[in-house]
Amino acid sequence: MFEIVRYTAQRADEWNRFVAASKNGTFLFDRRFMDYHSDRFSDYSLMVYLKGRLYALLPANADGQTLVSHGGLTYGGLVMGKECSAAGILEVFRTLNDSLRREGFHKVVYKAIPWIYHQLPSEEDLYALTDVCQAQLVIRDISSAIMGRHRLKFTESRRSGLRKALRRGLLVEESNDIEGFWQILRENLASKYGVCPVHNIAELLLLKNRFPDQIKLWTVSNDGRLVGGTLLFLTPQVLHTQYISANPEGKACGAIDLLFNTLINDVYQDYPYIDFGKSTVSDSARLNYQLIFQKEGFGGRAVCYDTYEWML
């Protein structure tokens, strides 16, 4: 009934058109985004056809005998067309599993697309994971999101920072100073966690150039000095803060509090969801209490990012 075809670069336009028209896809699944780090992952993305028409996509990479959907993305589950049905997706996973077994895979790691990113309800895959795959939930990360119609007030600690920033006369503005922000971000992550940003400066500049309407940088300045900012990924349902960072001066004068007061209550007040991203340590789901405290201070509440596994 369904045909599984491995993605090739010759199918990029067809893939991208489907993502743009899907009920749960975002620009992270556009091949111009996915392929920026193609040298680091062995792509094994799959395209599902029904009677010759594209029905669903699975962004994925091969890691030995394991299929990962997708190792280079925050989430990477099945991207579905609006006509996808529960019965159809059950059959897709039966066909997918049979195909992967024939190809020599032994296991699948599946990072589901969080529900807030869905433009239409799209959890047919989660049902199939239980019904067809007997998948196990292996990692549950926690993010913090604001629902546009039901916003909570900032906590006193966030309001205190906001008052401090307003007294200092800090300036919030959209900016193209990716290099300046990345330097603050790099130094902050190195001193706090001993890590580097997921994207290097060349990759950020490349992606910003490819997706100028979906990737936005907002910065905070004090007397002309860049002191903090956030890099946003804009999808149809969700404004996602990919990076948030401030230097010591910005932290001392409430730069991030002013920044998010401006974005949440002014610039993007009509956005359905604002997602601050995970507050769990990568691959272990241990909670970073300090990080989530800040996000909850802006009114964010829990949304889970789930990773499943099953044996073939």
Side-chain angles (χ1 to χ4, degrees), residues 80 94 99 129:
M80 294 178 263
R94 294 187 189 104
S99 176
L129 295 187

Side-chain angles (χ1 to χ4, degrees), residues 38 179 197 220 309:
S38 58
E179 295 95 334
V220 188
E309 288 185 3

Side-chain angles (χ1 to χ4, degrees), residues 41-185:
F41 297 93
S42 177
D43 190 84
Y44 211 97
S45 297
L46 300 171
M47 306 175 75
V48 183
Y49 290 87
L50 175 62
K51 298 179 181 179
R53 293 187 60 188
L54 193 53
Y55 188 81
L57 304 171
L58 186 64
N61 66 280
D63 183 5
Q65 295 174 313
T66 298
L67 185 83
V68 184
S69 180
H70 181 292
L73 298 173
T74 307
Y75 46 82
L78 197 69
V79 180
M80 294 178 263
K82 295 181 176 65
E83 72 280 8
C84 285
S85 66
I89 296 302
L90 289 177
E91 188 61 31
V92 165
F93 275 91
R94 294 187 189 104
T95 307
L96 173 67
N97 287 344
D98 288 342
S99 176
L100 293 175
R101 289 188 196 101
R102 289 194 299 270
E103 294 299 319
F105 288 99
H106 291 173
K107 184 170 77 171
V108 178
V109 175
Y110 186 96
K111 295 189 287 187
I113 303 169
W115 64 269
I116 57 174
Y117 289 87
H118 301 173
Q119 296 179 67
L120 291 172
S122 303
E123 293 188 340
E124 291 86 353
D125 61 335
L126 298 187
Y127 183 76
L129 295 187
T130 301
D131 185 81
V132 174
C133 306
Q134 289 80 54
Q136 299 294 315
L137 175 66
V138 293
I139 298 175
R140 170 160 280 167
D141 290 299
I142 188 170
S143 181
S144 301
I146 293 171
M147 184 178 288
R149 296 189 303 275
H150 303 284
R151 299 187 180 187
L152 302 178
K153 293 181 179 180
F154 285 13
T155 60
E156 176 54 32
S157 59
R158 302 277 66 85
R159 294 199 298 270
S160 175
L162 174 59
R163 290 192 295 268
K164 192 182 301 183
L166 291 172
R167 286 196 300 268
R168 295 287 291 271
L170 303 188
L171 174 66
V172 174
E173 60 185 345
E174 188 176 356
S175 170
N176 289 315
D177 189 7
I178 297 289
E179 295 95 334
F181 173 71
W182 191 87
Q183 185 65 25
I184 290 176
L185 176 67

Side-chain angles (χ1 to χ4, degrees), residues 212-270:
D213 295 329
Q214 290 82 21
I215 300 177
K216 303 285 188 180
L217 174 65
W218 283 81
T219 58
V220 188
S221 300
N222 184 21
D223 291 331
R225 299 183 303 277
L226 183 62
V227 297
T230 183
L231 189 75
L232 306 176
F233 283 5
L234 279 66
T235 68
Q237 286 292 111
V238 180
L239 182 155
H240 172 68
T241 59
Q242 179 66 21
Y243 294 113
I244 307 168
S245 201
N247 62 17
E249 180 183 1
K251 293 174 184 177
C253 58
I256 299 303
D257 299 308
L258 176 63
L259 174 63
F260 281 106
N261 181 69
T262 303
L263 297 180
I264 294 168
N265 297 315
D266 184 10
V267 181
Y268 296 110
Q269 61 178 315
D270 295 326

Side-chain angles (χ1 to χ4, degrees), residues 270-290:
D270 295 326
Y271 235 90
Y273 298 97
I274 297 174
D275 179 20
F276 288 99
K278 299 176 185 178
S279 295
T280 34
V281 179
S282 179
D283 297 329
S284 70
R286 287 185 291 110
L287 185 63
N288 184 325
Y289 286 88
Q290 183 180 2

